[in-house]
């Protein structure tokens, strides 16, 4: 574990990302599908960075207005 974590850089989550994640919560609840809080934060960060989420479960991100690709295909 230490050899894996050593090259990683810790960065704080910016306030706009927290705010976007908080706004995503009622949006997905309105569609009747609760999401894991971590997924909301990941989606908000990806939206802020205009990045693509690479996941094995694109369905979890479908209603979160974020570009996803699956590594499983």
């Amino acid at each position: 574990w230490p050899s894996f974590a050593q090259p990683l850089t810790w960065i704080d989550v910016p306030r706009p990302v927290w705010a976007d994640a908080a706004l995503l919560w009622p949006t997905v609840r309105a569609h009747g599908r609760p999401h894991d809080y971590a997924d909301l934060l990941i989606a908000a960060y990806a939206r802020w960075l205009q990045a693509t989420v690479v996941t094995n479960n694109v369905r979890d991100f479908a209603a979160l207005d974020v570009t996803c690709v699956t590594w499983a295909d």
Side-chain angles (χ1 to χ4, degrees), residues 11-70:
I11 57 172
D12 291 328
V13 177
R15 280 187 185 267
V17 174
W18 284 113
D20 191 32
L23 291 173
L24 285 173
W25 188 84
T27 302
V28 297
R29 296 287 294 185
H31 289 95
R33 189 155 189 266
H35 280 70
D36 182 54
Y37 296 130
D39 288 345
L40 297 177
L41 190 57
I42 291 166
Y45 221 130
R47 289 160 42 126
W48 192 63
L49 295 171
Q50 298 179 348
T52 298
V53 175
V54 179
T55 180
N56 187 33
N57 195 351
V58 294
R59 195 174 125 217
D60 282 352
F61 294 91
L64 300 178
D65 191 29
V66 66
T67 304
C68 288
V69 296
T70 180

